[in-house]
Amino acid sequence: MNRLLLSFLGLCLLVSANAQWVNNPSENTRATTDNNIGYQAKTNSDGYTFLYLDKLESPGCTSYCQIIRPDGLLVFPYSGKVLTDAPNSTYTVINENLWIDNDGNAITASSQCRDISTLHSYYYVINKISPEGNLLWDEPLLLNKGNDYNLLTSLRMVTLEDGSYVFAHAIYNADGKAYVSIERVSSDGKFLWSSAKLLYDSEKNYTIPILVNAGNNQFLVFYAKGAGYEYYVNKFDFDGESVWSGEKAVYRGGFTVPAHLCIGAIPDKAGGAFFAWYDDRNASKVEKVYVSHIESNGNQGFVTSGGEEGLRVSLSGMRAFRPKMAYDEASKNLYMVWEEYNGTQSFQRLMIQKINQYGELLWEDTNPAFSAGNTNGYEVGEYLSGYNIEAVNGKILLYYFGGGQVLKAHLLDVTSNPAAPVEVWGARAPLEIANSSSSKGSAIISPLIGGDYFVATWGDLRSSSSAYDAGIFAQRFFLNGTIDGVITSLNKVKPASEVVGVEYFAVTGEKLASKPASGLYLEKSILKNGGFEVKKVLAK
């Protein structure tokens, strides 16, 4: 047997025999070195977790990638794979930098600056990376290259059903004018339109776009107009032509803080989207949370009293901020979570509400709570520093950093009792995912993988006290409320469209002519993206 095959099989045996997840919430699995000033994480449906990392290095910062395999092994060394080390300032502007496409590959973007001393001539460097860590384009895509713009920011991307990508970002010229630029790119990294689609007018700046996939190779673009950030939306087809007769107003009352801190949007899986935000439209210094349902035809799906823009979700007299959303397509219910403070900010709580397809708030003042003092919805009564919510097969996963910087999670059954959610994990809730004494932040938890488990990632200062020196840690935890459960999904058959060939090996390394009829052997699945997966199989 040749040395290359021996090396390959040695790696396969190591991977199949030694899972590297650490099943200890006080230890967890380290994914990177320290000195990360920012990161983003996405997990594909096969359980590969991609990390986009910014490290502060001179000049500017360097962008890296790391990949955590489903078994917890790292694809790259702790230092990660360099995506671009040219002068860039990704960490100084508000962008999304990481997405997962329809085939489970990662798309990454860094904000390049050819002249960092004057902050001129920005462009984006876009890469496509396979789960095995391979760069899938011969050259990175350079978005906006060659245009002498003053600043690019607010980059967003969605993947369409044909596998192409739509990018949108704001462009600020030296004269202070700003507009939104939209480009469509093929799956192999080629521009599909002769020029970018531009959203602008002569009176107001267009900024802070949000993209939402609308199905049928169409997409929605939410964008802000003017200094007060009035939000509008339009729907486009794959040629960049408007599907509606024109743009639709979402909220025109403006914001008292930069809009990117207030807003979010998710698809309704029927050609429309939910758009959530908080504002202080009455200048009362009591912010409220609102949501709009933009239907596929551009109509407002939620009816509000007096023509008010947005359905008000937070009903208490407390200040409400940073709404997050999860949509359960089967029940057509929307779930929202937000944080609330009293006027002096001496009390903080996390609230949840359930909204049906007609815009009715379904959880009232009498709902149970994790602690006393509930006024509406479902409350977590402790200090919080980061949270999110996911819809999981008729359940809701709520996770947050609680007191002492402990990452905690609740799994709530939202179907068995229409009046209030029920704790699935009972007395074990909340599940502690990470409980070391170090400061933590920026938790991101994956969707449910294979019906079995989730992957959580976060920034952690367990070996440093500087906010610019975080290491990224990860933890796998299971739907049954443990961190050491049994995975049943890893041996599920992959769709035939993903597997282009199968080879068989003895556990000692010899390649076999055919599939064994008995005993233990290795099965290598060759995937269409050029990678492979190996698993141990016991023939029956």
Side-chain angles (χ1 to χ4, degrees):
M1 187 185 308
N2 63 51
R3 181 174 300 175
L4 180 61
L5 183 57
L6 280 170
S7 299
F8 156 71
L9 286 174
L11 175 62
C12 295
L13 287 168
L14 174 64
V15 167
S16 60
N18 297 301
Q20 297 299 299
W21 288 112
V22 177
N23 295 328
N24 184 341
S26 63
E27 183 178 354
N28 310 116
T29 296
R30 177 182 279 274
T32 72
T33 56
D34 291 339
N35 77 299
N36 299 286
I37 61 172
Y39 93 105
Q40 295 176 30
K42 299 282 186 181
T43 303
N44 70 15
S45 60
D46 290 327
Y48 287 84
T49 298
F50 295 85
L51 303 176
Y52 174 91
L53 309 159
D54 285 326
K55 297 178 184 289
L56 191 56
E57 298 172 351
S58 180
C61 70
T62 302
S63 301
Y64 293 82
C65 176
Q66 179 62 277
I67 304 172
I68 308 173
R69 291 172 50 99
D71 50 27
L73 289 170
L74 302 180
V75 170
F76 303 119
Y78 285 123
S79 56
K81 179 183 180 65
V82 174
L83 296 175
T84 174
D85 58 0
N88 76 85
S89 57
T90 301
Y91 72 100
T92 67
V93 290
I94 305 302
N95 293 307
E96 288 182 1
N97 302 103
L98 176 65
W99 307 269
I100 301 295
D101 70 10
N102 296 343
D103 295 321
N105 302 304
I107 306 297
T108 66
S110 61
S111 181
Q112 204 82 0
C113 187
R114 291 196 296 275
D115 186 358
I116 200 166
S117 63
T118 60
L119 296 181
H120 275 274
S121 303
Y122 277 89
Y123 59 98
Y124 291 108
V125 178
I126 316 292
N127 282 291
K128 183 173 180 176
I129 306 170
S130 74
E132 296 76 31
N134 300 316
L135 295 174
L136 298 179
W137 292 340
D138 293 336
E139 298 289 340
L141 177 75
L142 304 181
L143 186 62
N144 223 78
K145 176 80 170 180
N147 295 309
D148 191 21
Y149 295 124
N150 206 36
L151 178 65
L152 307 180
T153 187
S154 304
L155 180 65
R156 300 292 187 269
M157 190 209 83
V158 293
T159 307
L160 300 185
E161 285 68 27
D162 66 356
S164 63
Y165 312 111
V166 175
F167 294 91
H169 63 277
I171 297 175
Y172 292 80
N173 282 334
D175 60 4
K177 297 294 183 182
Y179 52 92
V180 169
S181 175
I182 308 170
E183 290 271 18
R184 180 166 164 251
V185 174
S186 67
S187 61
D188 58 354
K190 304 296 189 298
F191 290 105
L192 293 174
W193 297 341
S194 58
S195 61
K197 172 79 175 181
L198 303 180
L199 306 181
Y200 67 95
D201 66 36
S202 59
E203 300 297 326
K204 294 182 178 180
N205 285 343
Y206 283 47
T207 58
I208 315 179
I210 293 181
L211 288 172
V212 176
N213 183 297
N216 297 316
N217 290 315
Q218 298 176 345
F219 57 95
L220 295 162
V221 185
F222 293 86
Y223 48 92
K225 285 187 181 183
Y229 302 108
E230 300 173 357
Y231 256 88
Y232 291 77
V233 62
N234 209 337
K235 189 175 188 177
F236 298 94
D237 64 18
F238 60 89
D239 287 325
E241 300 297 325
S242 178
V243 175
W244 301 333
S245 59
E247 65 185 10
K248 309 292 183 180
V250 180
Y251 169 60
R252 290 167 290 187
F255 301 90
T256 55
V257 297
H260 71 270
L261 300 173
C262 309
I263 59 176
I266 61 173
D268 69 359
K269 309 298 179 64
F274 298 100
F275 183 83
W277 71 94
Y278 70 90
D279 69 67
D280 183 16
R281 62 187 64 184
N282 298 319
S284 62
K285 296 185 179 180
V286 179
E287 296 83 351
K288 299 299 179 185
V289 166
Y290 297 85
V291 63
S292 282
H293 181 199
I294 308 301
E295 296 181 331
S296 180
N297 58 9
N299 292 338
Q300 289 280 352
F302 294 157
V303 178
T304 58
S305 61
E308 186 175 39
E309 291 185 326
L311 173 70
R312 179 174 162 183
V313 180
S314 58
L315 303 179
S316 73
M318 297 180 66
R319 304 179 70 183
F321 301 94
R322 287 175 280 279
K324 307 290 181 68
M325 296 179 288
Y327 181 60
D328 182 44
E329 188 177 1
S331 66
K332 300 188 184 301
N333 289 321
L334 177 70
Y335 298 88
M336 294 185 64
V337 59
W338 66 94
E339 59 184 306
E340 291 190 345
Y341 296 83
N342 60 5
T344 61
Q345 298 192 25
S346 60
F347 177 74
Q348 179 191 22
R349 63 187 178 192
L350 191 62
M351 307 295 288
I352 310 177
Q353 186 53 266
K354 179 179 181 180
I355 307 164
N356 69 13
Q357 60 184 313
Y358 308 109
E360 298 173 322
L361 307 186
L362 299 182
W363 291 342
E364 301 297 340
D365 293 355
T366 56
N367 288 330
F370 292 121
S371 66
N374 187 35
T375 57
N376 89 292
Y378 198 64
E379 175 190 339
V380 178
E382 62 177 303
Y383 177 75
L384 302 156
S385 60
Y387 56 90
N388 212 334
I389 190 169
E390 299 281 353
V392 184
N393 299 339
K395 298 178 178 61
I396 290 295
L397 177 73
L398 169 68
Y399 58 93
Y400 57 93
F401 283 114
Q405 292 294 291
V406 177
L407 179 56
K408 302 179 180 182
H410 295 263
L411 188 66
L412 307 175
D413 184 340
V414 294
T415 58
S416 60
N417 182 356
V422 177
E423 284 278 11
V424 175
W425 296 332
R428 286 179 294 159
L431 175 67
E432 293 191 352
I433 298 168
N435 59 17
S436 65
S437 60
S438 54
S439 295
K440 305 175 183 66
S442 303
I444 300 172
I445 292 184
S446 73
L448 184 65
I449 305 300
D452 290 320
Y453 68 96
F454 306 89
V455 175
T457 57
W458 63 93
D460 202 309
L461 297 180
R462 61 183 70 185
S463 58
S464 173
S465 59
S466 169
Y468 297 101
D469 209 18
I472 308 303
F473 284 75
Q475 183 65 58
R476 181 181 62 182
F477 67 100
F478 289 79
L479 190 61
N480 64 5
T482 69
I483 61 172
D484 57 356
V486 176
I487 294 179
T488 62
S489 57
L490 290 186
N491 290 326
K492 291 181 180 178
V493 177
K494 286 186 166 292
S497 60
E498 294 186 22
V499 179
V500 296
V502 179
E503 296 177 346
Y504 305 99
F505 296 84
V507 293
T508 54
E510 294 84 4
K511 186 174 182 179
L512 304 175
S514 60
K515 180 179 179 179
S518 62
L520 190 66
Y521 64 94
L522 296 176
E523 180 178 290
K524 175 186 175 184
S525 296
I526 303 169
L527 307 180
K528 69 177 183 180
N529 63 8
F532 62 85
E533 290 187 354
V534 176
K535 62 183 178 182
K536 282 184 178 180
V537 179
L538 180 61
K540 297 180 181 179

